Amino acid sequence: MNANIGKKVLQPLLIVGFLFGASLIGYIFNINGFPETNIVIIYLLAVHMISWLSSGYFWGILASLGATFIFNYFFTEPYFTFSVYDSSYIITFITMTMIALITGTITSHAKKSAAGARQREAETKAVYNLTNHLTDAKEVYEIVGFAVSEISACFMCRAACLCFREDGFPESFFIQQLSDKRQIRREVDNPEEIKRRIERLSMGCDIGSEFYDWPIYGQEAIHGIVRIPIEVAQEMNIAQTRLLHSMIESIALAMDRLRSTEERIKFREETIQERYRGNLLRAISHDLRTPLSSIMGTAEMLMDMSSKQDIRYSLASEIHKDANWLHSLVENILSLTRLQEGKLIIKKQLEAAEEILGGTIAYIAKQWPSYEISVSVPEELLLVPMDAKLIKQVLINLLDNAIKHTSHDEEISISVTKDADSRWAIFVVRDCGVGISKEDIPNIFQLFYTSNTQHADAKHGIGLGLAICDAIIKAHGGNIEARNRTDKKGAEVIFKLPMEVDNNEHVQ
Amino acid sequence: MNMYNENFLVVEDDMQIRNFICYALKQANFQCVTALTAEEALSHLISQQIDVILLDLGLPDFDGLEIIKRVREWSDIPIIVVSARDQDREKAEALDLGADDYLTKPFSSTELMARIRVALRHLYKQNRDRQQQSSLVVGELRIELDKHLVYLEEKEIHVTPMEYNLLALLFKNIGKVLTTGYIINEIWGAGYGRDTQALRALMAGLRRKIERNPAKPRYIVTEIGVGYRMMDI
């Protein structure tokens, strides 16, 4: 601002000074009897100098008119008046004015383009400097640091920058340039408000109480805002705004690049973790199952070696039974781990419901030869989209449960039907056991829920089986419920699987 | 059950399971050679007369599938694969490569013996050249191969040509698991792809004709995720 006032005072002084100087030289020439043409040339030189040193056309024109009048006043007869005797001087005046005008215009035009070139050079240099620094940045606050100091230097202000997080929400603080070497963190008063205002913005910048905020638009999201103090921003001309825009553009590019690098690294880390987790699961499943298999086999050998009345037979048989129980627990834990990570990929295929029931019953019959399970399927073939292995696991868990609560001579049944408008396949597992107590019904599918009503010594697992059923059925887009039978004693578990396939699911 | 003292090669890296299998085999008067690695197994196969191979797929040196491939290059001896429960894909692959049957850990000696019986029958039937037989029987079910007729409890039942082909294929491989891929290839031809839906429908139709309860099949059982097996009743 001081510079501006200085300019305003300086330019009239400039005119007065030069014209006075020219007049002085003219006076000397006059005394020495030089021809008047020389004096005219001196005035033209003065006008030229004034145009060169002042800004804008105005001073040049003023100087040329002034020069003509002063020449007229001092150096033409009658002296010290604005009138002339010799009419040929009129031509001298007009020519002089015109030459002065034209040189003045040309000079100031040349000056202007020189200034433009300088300005562009400065812009290019500023953007280049910024980009250069930004390429080295390893993290987002390095970018912010460079950006803020570069913009502050360029616009001679205390610029600031506020980053947005990956979820599109502003951070709680922003970085501001305090002096050449110092930057500070400042608290953001109302991040929500800023977010709202920036998102509403269609172009240009947002005008706040302290700053003008320019958003940094990345490829996918807004990375942050550049804040220019209000008094500087108001004074900015088109060229400066353009410069600021190109600087923000480079910042956006740098932030985009950084984000995609970060994402790539994250993805790679996830892949590695995934592999570790997979290896771990495989190791666990192998290392637990193999010894369990051999425990079961060895127990069987021992049973085979002793007669059924022998106490050793029943001991070995207990070992076998427990190992078997442990084995199914391991299977369930493995399924649960996969399910809970959300990493279990449901591979739906159209399967014949009767085959899944048949296959499951064959498996159960091997484990529990003394139980008879009755099955009913519709006459018409029922093809249901499902992951066969997982549904088999559900059925095994449900039948295991039913068997646990039912004695040998009571009926366990399993059936499948479809509903009236063919939208759901409905599977029902029924037993004739003690049923489910009222307080258990709402919690029965919860993880690690075990009933209090059971005997302390009863082997009832750790509440995994039904939770896994629930997770598997939900992953299929179906639902499962348990209740007591209304026709006789016992419980029934009903689950439904959708017959239709969602559009985003892939069925082979 | 055996008069020949067949020699079994048990390829298994876990000592307890190896002991268990060998014990069960010796109880049934079979001979038993063991190998801990695939290399060892191959050297036994070259140096000894082996009648049946029991093969664990997860071996320390290289994949059990590789052994099946190599053995099938020069021999038809029965191979029974022993695998973990979540290796369905490997199971199907092993069967398609030429393994005869599979057992899923943990298994009981009863199951093991049942599989061995099937494998031995397969071995001897091969020698007897079963193409000569015109009639095959399983339980109450009989198939006349030259006349293309099927009888259930001595009553002729009507089956479609496709159903007949499927039944004949299963009859010729009694006790053996046939993968869905193999069956589709045999019935519809190689160009048909892997559309299991048509096979499921065909199977459902056939079962409704020969089984009392198609969800509790006596003759053709489903091996979920792998294929079908004609039971050896």
Side-chain angles (χ1 to χ4, degrees):
Chain A
M1 281 221 218
N2 287 334
N4 271 350
I5 296 169
K7 250 185 185 170
K8 273 176 195 158
V9 180
L10 199 71
Q11 296 195 350
L13 272 179
L14 206 70
I15 293 179
V16 173
F18 270 104
L19 290 183
F20 179 75
S23 306
L24 204 67
I25 295 168
Y27 178 68
I28 294 165
F29 281 8
N30 208 3
I31 291 172
N32 291 330
F34 288 1
E36 279 156 6
T37 35
N38 286 341
I39 301 169
V40 172
I41 298 286
I42 292 297
Y43 274 111
L44 287 179
L45 180 67
V47 170
H48 194 94
M49 294 300 281
I50 291 163
S51 306
W52 180 254
L53 291 174
S54 64
S55 63
Y57 300 108
F58 174 75
W59 300 110
I61 293 166
L62 196 70
S64 60
L65 288 174
T68 310
F69 282 114
I70 293 168
F71 176 69
N72 177 7
Y73 192 79
F74 287 112
F75 299 108
T76 60
E77 287 177 46
Y79 295 112
F80 308 109
T81 61
F82 287 114
S83 52
V84 282
Y85 295 150
D86 190 345
S87 58
S88 69
Y89 271 121
I90 303 291
I91 295 169
T92 312
F93 294 156
I94 293 172
T95 320
M96 189 178 157
T97 312
M98 279 179 68
I99 291 173
L101 271 175
I102 291 166
T103 44
T105 323
I106 290 172
T107 316
S108 73
H109 186 75
K111 251 185 65 188
K112 220 175 178 178
S113 27
R118 263 201 308 279
Q119 169 94 25
R120 271 194 295 282
E121 196 203 326
E123 280 174 23
T124 319
K125 206 171 158 198
V127 175
Y128 172 77
N129 265 350
L130 183 68
T131 321
N132 222 10
H133 277 132
L134 292 183
T135 14
D136 303 335
K138 300 268 181 314
E139 55 136 15
V140 75
Y141 279 98
E142 233 173 302
I143 292 183
V144 170
F146 286 136
V148 168
S149 76
E150 212 54 52
I151 291 174
S152 302
C154 208
F155 296 97
M156 293 188 287
C157 65
R158 294 172 173 186
C161 180
L162 166 64
C163 283
F164 284 18
R165 290 194 306 246
E166 255 166 78
D167 57 5
F169 199 78
E171 297 276 9
S172 56
F173 60 89
F174 65 95
I175 306 289
Q176 187 176 20
Q177 192 78 17
L178 211 58
S179 61
D180 253 5
K181 294 269 153 60
R182 272 191 67 205
Q183 292 183 343
I184 49 157
R185 268 175 181 227
R186 279 179 57 188
E187 203 75 15
V188 179
D189 301 331
N190 195 349
E192 288 96 349
E193 172 69 18
I194 288 177
K195 179 180 151 68
R196 222 177 13 258
R197 281 189 354 220
I198 292 298
E199 277 171 357
R200 236 188 358 238
L201 210 60
S202 59
M203 57 181 295
C205 60
D206 177 68
I207 300 164
S209 54
E210 192 188 347
F211 296 104
Y212 276 38
D213 291 336
W214 272 272
I216 308 170
Y217 290 113
Q219 263 174 355
E220 274 149 22
I222 297 175
H223 290 316
I225 49 178
V226 168
R227 326 191 80 179
I228 304 288
I230 212 157
E231 61 278 4
V232 176
Q234 274 168 346
E235 295 286 319
M236 266 165 51
N237 57 30
I238 296 170
Q240 282 174 313
T241 317
R242 202 179 54 219
L243 171 61
L244 182 64
H245 272 294
S246 45
M247 289 176 105
I248 290 175
E249 200 72 12
S250 341
I251 298 167
L253 274 178
M255 285 183 167
D256 267 343
R257 183 178 50 81
L258 201 71
R259 255 189 209 176
S260 71
T261 313
E262 272 169 2
E263 265 164 32
R264 227 176 20 246
I265 290 170
K266 211 166 125 194
F267 178 74
R268 199 186 307 145
E269 273 170 4
E270 265 174 17
T271 323
I272 291 169
Q273 269 186 348
E274 193 66 28
R275 204 180 308 141
Y276 282 148
R277 200 181 297 133
N279 285 348
L280 184 68
L281 275 180
R282 261 195 296 285
I284 289 175
S285 74
H286 184 259
D287 291 357
L288 285 178
R289 280 172 181 155
T290 309
L292 281 172
S293 299
S294 49
I295 290 170
M296 285 162 75
T298 314
E300 214 186 317
M301 279 197 287
L302 289 173
M303 280 156 76
D304 204 39
M305 285 176 194
S306 44
S307 73
K308 283 198 177 167
Q309 288 75 36
D310 196 338
I311 178 108
R312 276 171 290 192
Y313 180 90
S314 57
L315 289 177
S317 143
E318 280 303 310
I319 293 173
H320 185 270
K321 218 168 79 192
D322 281 1
N324 195 17
W325 178 80
L326 208 52
H327 178 262
S328 59
L329 186 67
V330 169
E331 293 296 336
N332 273 338
I333 290 173
L334 280 173
S335 311
L336 188 75
T337 326
R338 283 189 223 122
L339 279 168
Q340 278 196 326
E341 281 170 353
K343 293 282 155 51
L344 188 87
I345 302 147
I346 304 271
K347 280 179 272 177
K348 278 193 180 182
Q349 284 197 341
L350 281 174
E351 300 281 353
E354 60 192 47
E355 291 187 350
I356 304 303
L357 296 194
T360 311
I361 288 167
Y363 177 85
I364 292 286
K366 252 187 324 205
Q367 309 267 320
W368 310 92
S370 55
Y371 282 87
E372 183 64 27
I373 297 163
S374 64
V375 201
S376 84
V377 294
E379 185 52 36
E380 176 203 353
L381 172 68
L382 190 58
L383 287 170
V384 186
M386 65 166 100
D387 188 316
K389 271 175 70 185
L390 293 175
I391 297 300
K392 182 183 171 187
Q393 171 111 39
V394 170
L395 290 169
I396 287 174
N397 283 353
L398 294 181
L399 287 172
D400 265 344
N401 238 5
I403 284 169
K404 236 177 276 164
H405 296 105
T406 310
S407 58
H408 300 257
D409 46 352
E410 286 174 322
E411 192 204 5
I412 294 171
S413 74
I414 179 166
S415 71
V416 58
T417 49
K418 62 177 178 184
D419 70 346
D421 46 0
S422 296
R423 287 183 57 233
W424 299 96
I426 302 162
F427 295 74
V428 185
V429 177
R430 290 194 181 87
D431 64 41
C432 295
V434 289
I436 315 161
S437 69
K438 280 218 163 48
E439 56 267 34
D440 286 345
I441 287 182
N443 304 320
I444 202 161
F445 291 109
Q446 273 173 27
L447 190 57
F448 301 123
Y449 180 81
T450 52
S451 173
N452 294 325
T453 51
Q454 276 174 331
H455 300 296
D457 60 342
K459 185 166 282 163
H460 50 68
I462 52 170
L464 276 176
L466 288 176
I468 287 166
C469 293
D470 186 49
I472 291 176
I473 299 300
K474 281 195 179 130
H476 275 78
N479 61 59
I480 186 166
E481 59 174 317
R483 60 184 183 212
N484 285 314
R485 294 171 69 164
T486 46
D487 51 345
K488 51 170 124 180
K489 79 182 178 88
E492 59 185 6
V493 181
I494 301 158
F495 68 86
K496 295 179 182 177
L497 293 180
M499 301 280 287
E500 296 276 325
V501 184
D502 290 351
N503 287 334
N504 55 359
E505 280 177 340
H506 179 64
V507 170
Q508 289 162 334
Chain B
M1 108 188 213
N2 61 317
M3 339 164 226
Y4 305 108
N5 288 331
E6 285 85 357
N7 197 11
F8 280 67
L9 173 62
V10 179
V11 191
E12 166 68 69
D13 58 335
D14 184 77
M15 187 188 72
Q16 291 297 334
I17 294 180
R18 210 166 53 230
N19 284 348
F20 163 61
I21 294 174
C22 284
Y23 171 80
L25 288 174
K26 280 178 185 148
Q27 288 293 100
N29 285 326
F30 292 112
Q31 287 176 43
C32 175
V33 184
T34 59
L36 278 68
T37 63
E39 287 293 344
E40 203 182 334
L42 288 171
S43 77
H44 279 313
L45 280 165
I46 292 162
S47 61
Q48 299 190 35
Q49 167 69 35
I50 304 286
D51 299 300
V52 180
I53 304 174
L54 289 171
L55 176 67
D56 182 13
L57 285 183
L59 290 174
D61 49 353
F62 57 89
D63 204 325
L65 294 174
E66 195 58 36
I67 297 190
I68 303 176
K69 251 186 254 174
R70 293 210 197 162
V71 170
R72 280 292 172 259
E73 281 168 15
W74 50 270
S75 166
D76 275 338
I77 58 170
I79 301 175
I80 300 171
V81 164
V82 176
S83 75
R85 186 159 147 192
D86 54 0
Q87 292 181 309
D88 282 352
R89 207 172 49 77
E90 284 92 335
K91 262 182 242 172
E93 210 176 320
L95 292 169
D96 282 336
L97 280 174
D100 293 82
D101 210 335
Y102 70 84
L103 270 167
T104 305
K105 286 183 198 172
F107 51 85
S108 66
S109 60
T110 336
E111 262 182 291
L112 175 65
M113 283 306 143
R115 297 288 195 271
I116 287 172
R117 255 199 312 280
V118 172
L120 287 179
R121 168 135 62 148
H122 187 61
L123 178 69
Y124 295 128
K125 279 210 177 136
Q126 260 175 0
N127 300 345
R128 260 193 277 143
D129 191 6
R130 51 191 305 156
Q131 297 304 323
Q132 296 283 320
Q133 282 180 294
S134 62
S135 161
L136 296 169
V137 182
V138 169
E140 303 292 322
L141 195 62
R142 183 161 59 90
I143 186 168
E144 300 273 350
L145 288 172
D146 45 357
K147 292 186 207 136
H148 281 219
L149 291 175
V150 181
Y151 296 90
L152 182 65
E153 292 166 345
E154 289 311 313
K155 278 192 280 268
E156 191 193 326
I157 53 169
H158 176 74
V159 292
T160 66
M162 284 293 230
E163 286 168 353
Y164 175 82
N165 287 345
L166 176 60
L167 194 60
L169 181 67
L170 288 159
F171 254 110
K172 284 175 197 158
N173 294 283
I174 288 174
K176 205 178 148 179
V177 183
L178 302 181
T179 62
T180 41
Y182 175 80
I183 298 175
I184 290 169
N185 199 12
E186 288 290 307
I187 306 264
W188 281 276
Y192 194 76
R194 293 220 149 227
D195 179 14
T196 55
Q197 214 177 320
L199 175 59
R200 305 252 182 260
L202 185 66
M203 186 60 79
L206 182 59
R207 275 187 178 139
R208 275 162 182 68
K209 288 173 185 171
I210 63 170
E211 305 279 7
R212 258 187 228 114
N213 183 349
K216 251 186 166 178
R218 248 183 102 204
Y219 298 110
I220 307 168
V221 298
T222 314
E223 304 278 338
I224 294 176
V226 182
Y228 297 95
R229 184 203 300 271
M230 185 74 158
M231 291 305 275
D232 181 18
I233 303 166

